[in-house]
Amino acid sequence: MNFYKEDVHFQELLKELLDPAFFEFANQELTIFGEKCATDIDSRARFTDKEGQPRLNKYDAYGEDISEVWVNEGYRRTVEETYNTGIVGYVHKEIPALGEKGNYIYSYAQGYLLSQTEPGFYCPVTLSMATAYLLIQYASDEMKERFLPHVLSTGEVPLYEGATFLTERQGGSDVGANETKAVEEGGHFKLSGEKYFASNAGMCGVAMVLARKEGAPSGTKGLTLFAVPWRNQDGSLNGIRIRRLKDKLGVRAVPSAEVEFDGADAFVVGDPTKGFYYMMEALNLSRVCNAVASLGIMRRAYHEAKEYAFRRDAFGSKLADYPMVKDTLTSLAVKLEMETRTVFTYLPLFERVMNNQANQNETILNRLYIALLKKETAEQAIHFSHEAIELHGGNGYIEDFVTPRLLRDAQVLTVWEGTANILGLEVLRLIEKYKADELFLEEMTQRLRGVAHLPSEWTNLVENKLIQLQNLSKSLRTASNDHKTFHSKKAAELMVKIFESIVALEQGASGDRRAIKVMEVFLEETWKSAYLFNEEMRTVNYFDEIVLDAKSEKPVTAR
């Protein structure tokens, strides 16, 4: 069992995206990590979800508030093993075996494998990645020296996991309503207030927190970003209390808490007037992580459904022999492959933006792509989990199988880092403020020209959708505010379908027989153009080459 070696097309995708030397290194390391994720880490995730969830030890024997979070020993081993792979550290520091710095593509490949085990293990990694980014980009040299070696640790020094605390009871997505206060005292600040949904509480070494300085204006413009160590240098709590841990539907491995600050030492990060702006940059990084976690759940759900279909006998045949099951598995395989390819082939642009190497238009497109892909992948993670349960039948609803946990975990991904409504409004804001729709249309039209040699019935379909998007964008410019917000999600959905269709066309343009068939099925399924190419049961006819993989021509073997 190896989540990486079983995923041949993901290996091929990484080979396209990484230079040969880096791919050779990544291929070896991901093979090791993929096996660990499919075996030891997966076993620990099952135990944590059922029996070993985090617990709050609020008081010690003397009645003192210690606000200590207990996690099981297997969870701690997973933390150690995962961070030591460099999933956070090697994004920003040299990989000894290569003599060069790593990148986000490699990190997100690790996250994709880890999320097939459980996104509850990947959430703290995401928060640590965001913390590292904020410290590197905006913190003082003194703060970097104090925190960064620990946040980027791969085992050489004690690890400080990160956290980002935004949400307050009265705020939620309306971060401008936050009330946590910061009072200056002796060269630093003291925080007082509460954060209502603080993930990785009790496990983080340093948290990035938004608070309002005395005299600062209301709204998001008055928020400053602070680095807040969880403990003082003597090991005592840094003016922090945990009120309670959240009893969550899924991702039970990560401790999420209500946190109170009572004079916590805090240190300003960057320009005090740009705290919200900084945190939104970190939020975009986390949204990409969210998309990667969604892909991980999609992959695991598809894998479990496929394995079960080849294992289960019904009415004298394997489930996988029935046309309806072939249709479902082929549709899932194609959507997973195209969505994974779209996210990972987008990452070089993300990398340039994060390394301050992108121009203004690329930065705008980056924000747009993040909103589109976060929304789409999160919704698809739920869909894939549902389909996996349905293919299992009654067994799919039983906690002996992983499928119920996949559905529980997938649900949070539509909520974390922005719901569909929030992301729709983000797309609308990018259109109104930066004309992101025009940039998107220009980019997609140019890429469509690059596949003009494909048969016109394929390219015309996407070209017509670009015209539809152009007309929708024009109507939104003169519409009322209610009309704009009502249609913002519809615009986002149209955009992401076009985006992924272009990627499908580009892969099909390679001429590879399987890639062409994947493209055909994807376009047909995406646009619901029934029998677009005058072939009924296309998904069933292509089952062998897409699901079984014509390259090996070997049937899938059940575990």
Side-chain angles (χ1 to χ4, degrees), residues 280-304:
M280 289 306 99
E281 286 191 340
L283 181 71
N284 274 330
L285 185 154
S286 297
R287 282 174 173 169
V288 179
C289 292
N290 200 102
V292 169
S294 297
L295 292 174
I297 286 185
M298 290 166 65
R299 171 64 190 179
R300 182 69 183 274
Y302 166 70
H303 178 83
E304 295 294 329

PDB file of all heavy atoms in Angstrom, residues 280-304:
ATOM      1  N   MET A 280      -4.497  38.270   4.863  1.00  0.00           N
ATOM      2  CA  MET A 280      -5.175  37.816   3.647  1.00  0.00           C
ATOM      3  C   MET A 280      -4.200  37.127   2.697  1.00  0.00           C
ATOM      4  O   MET A 280      -4.569  36.196   1.979  1.00  0.00           O
ATOM      5  CB  MET A 280      -5.862  38.991   2.948  1.00  0.00           C
ATOM      6  CG  MET A 280      -7.083  39.533   3.686  1.00  0.00           C
ATOM      7  SD  MET A 280      -8.330  38.272   4.074  1.00  0.00           S
ATOM      8  CE  MET A 280      -7.945  37.895   5.806  1.00  0.00           C
ATOM      9  N   GLU A 281      -2.955  37.552   2.696  1.00  0.00           N
ATOM     10  CA  GLU A 281      -1.948  36.845   1.908  1.00  0.00           C
ATOM     11  C   GLU A 281      -1.761  35.429   2.447  1.00  0.00           C
ATOM     12  O   GLU A 281      -1.690  34.461   1.676  1.00  0.00           O
ATOM     13  CB  GLU A 281      -0.616  37.594   1.950  1.00  0.00           C
ATOM     14  CG  GLU A 281      -0.590  38.871   1.116  1.00  0.00           C
ATOM     15  CD  GLU A 281       0.814  39.412   0.977  1.00  0.00           C
ATOM     16  OE1 GLU A 281       1.683  39.057   1.795  1.00  0.00           O
ATOM     17  OE2 GLU A 281       1.054  40.192   0.046  1.00  0.00           O
ATOM     18  N   ALA A 282      -1.680  35.323   3.768  1.00  0.00           N
ATOM     19  CA  ALA A 282      -1.567  34.002   4.388  1.00  0.00           C
ATOM     20  C   ALA A 282      -2.820  33.171   4.134  1.00  0.00           C
ATOM     21  O   ALA A 282      -2.753  31.951   3.957  1.00  0.00           O
ATOM     22  CB  ALA A 282      -1.324  34.144   5.890  1.00  0.00           C
ATOM     23  N   LEU A 283      -3.973  33.835   4.121  1.00  0.00           N
ATOM     24  CA  LEU A 283      -5.225  33.140   3.852  1.00  0.00           C
ATOM     25  C   LEU A 283      -5.222  32.534   2.457  1.00  0.00           C
ATOM     26  O   LEU A 283      -5.692  31.404   2.258  1.00  0.00           O
ATOM     27  CB  LEU A 283      -6.401  34.108   3.994  1.00  0.00           C
ATOM     28  CG  LEU A 283      -7.800  33.520   3.753  1.00  0.00           C
ATOM     29  CD1 LEU A 283      -8.195  32.595   4.887  1.00  0.00           C
ATOM     30  CD2 LEU A 283      -8.829  34.636   3.614  1.00  0.00           C
ATOM     31  N   ASN A 284      -4.690  33.249   1.487  1.00  0.00           N
ATOM     32  CA  ASN A 284      -4.618  32.702   0.134  1.00  0.00           C
ATOM     33  C   ASN A 284      -3.719  31.469   0.076  1.00  0.00           C
ATOM     34  O   ASN A 284      -4.027  30.500  -0.624  1.00  0.00           O
ATOM     35  CB  ASN A 284      -4.132  33.770  -0.851  1.00  0.00           C
ATOM     36  CG  ASN A 284      -5.269  34.624  -1.371  1.00  0.00           C
ATOM     37  OD1 ASN A 284      -6.399  34.176  -1.476  1.00  0.00           O
ATOM     38  ND2 ASN A 284      -4.977  35.868  -1.704  1.00  0.00           N
ATOM     39  N   LEU A 285      -2.611  31.506   0.807  1.00  0.00           N
ATOM     40  CA  LEU A 285      -1.766  30.320   0.896  1.00  0.00           C
ATOM     41  C   LEU A 285      -2.557  29.153   1.488  1.00  0.00           C
ATOM     42  O   LEU A 285      -2.517  28.023   0.989  1.00  0.00           O
ATOM     43  CB  LEU A 285      -0.541  30.626   1.758  1.00  0.00           C
ATOM     44  CG  LEU A 285       0.533  29.540   1.888  1.00  0.00           C
ATOM     45  CD1 LEU A 285       1.886  30.168   2.203  1.00  0.00           C
ATOM     46  CD2 LEU A 285       0.213  28.513   2.967  1.00  0.00           C
ATOM     47  N   SER A 286      -3.307  29.439   2.551  1.00  0.00           N
ATOM     48  CA  SER A 286      -4.100  28.398   3.197  1.00  0.00           C
ATOM     49  C   SER A 286      -5.208  27.881   2.281  1.00  0.00           C
ATOM     50  O   SER A 286      -5.590  26.709   2.349  1.00  0.00           O
ATOM     51  CB  SER A 286      -4.715  28.934   4.499  1.00  0.00           C
ATOM     52  OG  SER A 286      -3.713  29.281   5.425  1.00  0.00           O
ATOM     53  N   ARG A 287      -5.734  28.747   1.425  1.00  0.00           N
ATOM     54  CA  ARG A 287      -6.768  28.300   0.486  1.00  0.00           C
ATOM     55  C   ARG A 287      -6.195  27.307  -0.530  1.00  0.00           C
ATOM     56  O   ARG A 287      -6.887  26.375  -0.941  1.00  0.00           O
ATOM     57  CB  ARG A 287      -7.384  29.506  -0.227  1.00  0.00           C
ATOM     58  CG  ARG A 287      -8.381  30.267   0.625  1.00  0.00           C
ATOM     59  CD  ARG A 287      -8.877  31.533  -0.044  1.00  0.00           C
ATOM     60  NE  ARG A 287      -9.962  32.136   0.732  1.00  0.00           N
ATOM     61  CZ  ARG A 287     -10.463  33.354   0.511  1.00  0.00           C
ATOM     62  NH1 ARG A 287      -9.965  34.102  -0.479  1.00  0.00           N
ATOM     63  NH2 ARG A 287     -11.442  33.818   1.260  1.00  0.00           N
ATOM     64  N   VAL A 288      -4.957  27.516  -0.939  1.00  0.00           N
ATOM     65  CA  VAL A 288      -4.321  26.547  -1.831  1.00  0.00           C
ATOM     66  C   VAL A 288      -4.141  25.220  -1.092  1.00  0.00           C
ATOM     67  O   VAL A 288      -4.389  24.141  -1.648  1.00  0.00           O
ATOM     68  CB  VAL A 288      -2.979  27.071  -2.368  1.00  0.00           C
ATOM     69  CG1 VAL A 288      -2.319  26.033  -3.270  1.00  0.00           C
ATOM     70  CG2 VAL A 288      -3.181  28.370  -3.139  1.00  0.00           C
ATOM     71  N   CYS A 289      -3.707  25.297   0.174  1.00  0.00           N
ATOM     72  CA  CYS A 289      -3.612  24.080   0.986  1.00  0.00           C
ATOM     73  C   CYS A 289      -4.968  23.387   1.080  1.00  0.00           C
ATOM     74  O   CYS A 289      -5.054  22.153   1.041  1.00  0.00           O
ATOM     75  CB  CYS A 289      -3.117  24.419   2.392  1.00  0.00           C
ATOM     76  SG  CYS A 289      -1.414  24.994   2.496  1.00  0.00           S
ATOM     77  N   ASN A 290      -6.014  24.178   1.224  1.00  0.00           N
ATOM     78  CA  ASN A 290      -7.369  23.646   1.305  1.00  0.00           C
ATOM     79  C   ASN A 290      -7.720  22.883   0.025  1.00  0.00           C
ATOM     80  O   ASN A 290      -8.308  21.796   0.056  1.00  0.00           O
ATOM     81  CB  ASN A 290      -8.353  24.789   1.527  1.00  0.00           C
ATOM     82  CG  ASN A 290      -9.684  24.344   2.091  1.00  0.00           C
ATOM     83  OD1 ASN A 290      -9.947  24.489   3.280  1.00  0.00           O
ATOM     84  ND2 ASN A 290     -10.550  23.816   1.250  1.00  0.00           N
ATOM     85  N   ALA A 291      -7.348  23.464  -1.121  1.00  0.00           N
ATOM     86  CA  ALA A 291      -7.592  22.794  -2.401  1.00  0.00           C
ATOM     87  C   ALA A 291      -6.818  21.484  -2.486  1.00  0.00           C
ATOM     88  O   ALA A 291      -7.333  20.467  -2.967  1.00  0.00           O
ATOM     89  CB  ALA A 291      -7.212  23.714  -3.557  1.00  0.00           C
ATOM     90  N   VAL A 292      -5.583  21.491  -2.019  1.00  0.00           N
ATOM     91  CA  VAL A 292      -4.755  20.279  -2.039  1.00  0.00           C
ATOM     92  C   VAL A 292      -5.349  19.215  -1.118  1.00  0.00           C
ATOM     93  O   VAL A 292      -5.396  18.026  -1.469  1.00  0.00           O
ATOM     94  CB  VAL A 292      -3.307  20.620  -1.643  1.00  0.00           C
ATOM     95  CG1 VAL A 292      -2.490  19.353  -1.402  1.00  0.00           C
ATOM     96  CG2 VAL A 292      -2.651  21.481  -2.720  1.00  0.00           C
ATOM     97  N   ALA A 293      -5.818  19.635   0.058  1.00  0.00           N
ATOM     98  CA  ALA A 293      -6.466  18.692   0.975  1.00  0.00           C
ATOM     99  C   ALA A 293      -7.713  18.090   0.338  1.00  0.00           C
ATOM    100  O   ALA A 293      -7.995  16.898   0.494  1.00  0.00           O
ATOM    101  CB  ALA A 293      -6.820  19.395   2.280  1.00  0.00           C
ATOM    102  N   SER A 294      -8.464  18.913  -0.383  1.00  0.00           N
ATOM    103  CA  SER A 294      -9.660  18.419  -1.075  1.00  0.00           C
ATOM    104  C   SER A 294      -9.285  17.384  -2.121  1.00  0.00           C
ATOM    105  O   SER A 294      -9.952  16.349  -2.267  1.00  0.00           O
ATOM    106  CB  SER A 294     -10.398  19.587  -1.729  1.00  0.00           C
ATOM    107  OG  SER A 294     -10.857  20.522  -0.767  1.00  0.00           O
ATOM    108  N   LEU A 295      -8.212  17.654  -2.874  1.00  0.00           N
ATOM    109  CA  LEU A 295      -7.743  16.675  -3.858  1.00  0.00           C
ATOM    110  C   LEU A 295      -7.362  15.356  -3.184  1.00  0.00           C
ATOM    111  O   LEU A 295      -7.616  14.274  -3.716  1.00  0.00           O
ATOM    112  CB  LEU A 295      -6.536  17.224  -4.619  1.00  0.00           C
ATOM    113  CG  LEU A 295      -6.778  18.410  -5.552  1.00  0.00           C
ATOM    114  CD1 LEU A 295      -5.444  18.914  -6.106  1.00  0.00           C
ATOM    115  CD2 LEU A 295      -7.716  18.043  -6.690  1.00  0.00           C
ATOM    116  N   GLY A 296      -6.756  15.453  -2.003  1.00  0.00           N
ATOM    117  CA  GLY A 296      -6.385  14.251  -1.271  1.00  0.00           C
ATOM    118  C   GLY A 296      -7.600  13.413  -0.907  1.00  0.00           C
ATOM    119  O   GLY A 296      -7.594  12.179  -1.051  1.00  0.00           O
ATOM    120  N   ILE A 297      -8.657  14.073  -0.438  1.00  0.00           N
ATOM    121  CA  ILE A 297      -9.884  13.348  -0.102  1.00  0.00           C
ATOM    122  C   ILE A 297     -10.514  12.774  -1.364  1.00  0.00           C
ATOM    123  O   ILE A 297     -10.995  11.632  -1.378  1.00  0.00           O
ATOM    124  CB  ILE A 297     -10.868  14.273   0.631  1.00  0.00           C
ATOM    125  CG1 ILE A 297     -10.386  14.516   2.063  1.00  0.00           C
ATOM    126  CG2 ILE A 297     -12.269  13.678   0.652  1.00  0.00           C
ATOM    127  CD1 ILE A 297     -11.335  15.308   2.918  1.00  0.00           C
ATOM    128  N   MET A 298     -10.522  13.545  -2.447  1.00  0.00           N
ATOM    129  CA  MET A 298     -11.064  13.034  -3.715  1.00  0.00           C
ATOM    130  C   MET A 298     -10.326  11.768  -4.147  1.00  0.00           C
ATOM    131  O   MET A 298     -10.936  10.777  -4.545  1.00  0.00           O
ATOM    132  CB  MET A 298     -10.963  14.110  -4.787  1.00  0.00           C
ATOM    133  CG  MET A 298     -11.894  15.296  -4.590  1.00  0.00           C
ATOM    134  SD  MET A 298     -11.464  16.718  -5.631  1.00  0.00           S
ATOM    135  CE  MET A 298     -11.771  16.044  -7.273  1.00  0.00           C
ATOM    136  N   ARG A 299      -9.010  11.815  -4.078  1.00  0.00           N
ATOM    137  CA  ARG A 299      -8.204  10.670  -4.482  1.00  0.00           C
ATOM    138  C   ARG A 299      -8.498   9.449  -3.611  1.00  0.00           C
ATOM    139  O   ARG A 299      -8.684   8.340  -4.112  1.00  0.00           O
ATOM    140  CB  ARG A 299      -6.714  11.026  -4.416  1.00  0.00           C
ATOM    141  CG  ARG A 299      -5.764   9.860  -4.597  1.00  0.00           C
ATOM    142  CD  ARG A 299      -5.845   9.226  -5.963  1.00  0.00           C
ATOM    143  NE  ARG A 299      -5.085   7.964  -5.995  1.00  0.00           N
ATOM    144  CZ  ARG A 299      -4.999   7.178  -7.048  1.00  0.00           C
ATOM    145  NH1 ARG A 299      -5.607   7.505  -8.175  1.00  0.00           N
ATOM    146  NH2 ARG A 299      -4.307   6.057  -6.990  1.00  0.00           N
ATOM    147  N   ARG A 300      -8.551   9.648  -2.287  1.00  0.00           N
ATOM    148  CA  ARG A 300      -8.798   8.519  -1.378  1.00  0.00           C
ATOM    149  C   ARG A 300     -10.202   7.950  -1.605  1.00  0.00           C
ATOM    150  O   ARG A 300     -10.395   6.729  -1.611  1.00  0.00           O
ATOM    151  CB  ARG A 300      -8.635   8.966   0.067  1.00  0.00           C
ATOM    152  CG  ARG A 300      -8.826   7.839   1.102  1.00  0.00           C
ATOM    153  CD  ARG A 300      -7.703   6.832   1.035  1.00  0.00           C
ATOM    154  NE  ARG A 300      -7.889   5.711   1.951  1.00  0.00           N
ATOM    155  CZ  ARG A 300      -7.511   5.699   3.224  1.00  0.00           C
ATOM    156  NH1 ARG A 300      -6.931   6.783   3.769  1.00  0.00           N
ATOM    157  NH2 ARG A 300      -7.693   4.633   3.974  1.00  0.00           N
ATOM    158  N   ALA A 301     -11.190   8.818  -1.792  1.00  0.00           N
ATOM    159  CA  ALA A 301     -12.559   8.365  -2.018  1.00  0.00           C
ATOM    160  C   ALA A 301     -12.652   7.557  -3.308  1.00  0.00           C
ATOM    161  O   ALA A 301     -13.281   6.489  -3.351  1.00  0.00           O
ATOM    162  CB  ALA A 301     -13.510   9.559  -2.061  1.00  0.00           C
ATOM    163  N   TYR A 302     -12.020   8.069  -4.360  1.00  0.00           N
ATOM    164  CA  TYR A 302     -12.013   7.350  -5.634  1.00  0.00           C
ATOM    165  C   TYR A 302     -11.317   5.998  -5.490  1.00  0.00           C
ATOM    166  O   TYR A 302     -11.796   4.973  -5.980  1.00  0.00           O
ATOM    167  CB  TYR A 302     -11.320   8.195  -6.700  1.00  0.00           C
ATOM    168  CG  TYR A 302     -10.956   7.424  -7.951  1.00  0.00           C
ATOM    169  CD1 TYR A 302     -11.933   6.982  -8.831  1.00  0.00           C
ATOM    170  CD2 TYR A 302      -9.622   7.123  -8.234  1.00  0.00           C
ATOM    171  CE1 TYR A 302     -11.602   6.257  -9.967  1.00  0.00           C
ATOM    172  CE2 TYR A 302      -9.286   6.409  -9.369  1.00  0.00           C
ATOM    173  CZ  TYR A 302     -10.279   5.970 -10.229  1.00  0.00           C
ATOM    174  OH  TYR A 302      -9.944   5.250 -11.344  1.00  0.00           O
ATOM    175  N   HIS A 303     -10.181   6.006  -4.823  1.00  0.00           N
ATOM    176  CA  HIS A 303      -9.417   4.775  -4.639  1.00  0.00           C
ATOM    177  C   HIS A 303     -10.233   3.725  -3.889  1.00  0.00           C
ATOM    178  O   HIS A 303     -10.284   2.551  -4.292  1.00  0.00           O
ATOM    179  CB  HIS A 303      -8.132   5.083  -3.870  1.00  0.00           C
ATOM    180  CG  HIS A 303      -7.293   3.883  -3.586  1.00  0.00           C
ATOM    181  ND1 HIS A 303      -6.417   3.350  -4.499  1.00  0.00           N
ATOM    182  CD2 HIS A 303      -7.202   3.090  -2.484  1.00  0.00           C
ATOM    183  CE1 HIS A 303      -5.813   2.300  -3.990  1.00  0.00           C
ATOM    184  NE2 HIS A 303      -6.276   2.113  -2.762  1.00  0.00           N
ATOM    185  N   GLU A 304     -10.881   4.142  -2.801  1.00  0.00           N
ATOM    186  CA  GLU A 304     -11.674   3.199  -2.014  1.00  0.00           C
ATOM    187  C   GLU A 304     -12.860   2.673  -2.827  1.00  0.00           C
ATOM    188  O   GLU A 304     -13.201   1.483  -2.748  1.00  0.00           O
ATOM    189  CB  GLU A 304     -12.165   3.878  -0.731  1.00  0.00           C
ATOM    190  CG  GLU A 304     -11.070   4.280   0.235  1.00  0.00           C
ATOM    191  CD  GLU A 304     -10.331   3.099   0.838  1.00  0.00           C
ATOM    192  OE1 GLU A 304     -10.954   2.022   1.015  1.00  0.00           O
ATOM    193  OE2 GLU A 304      -9.130   3.240   1.135  1.00  0.00           O
TER     194      GLU A 304
END
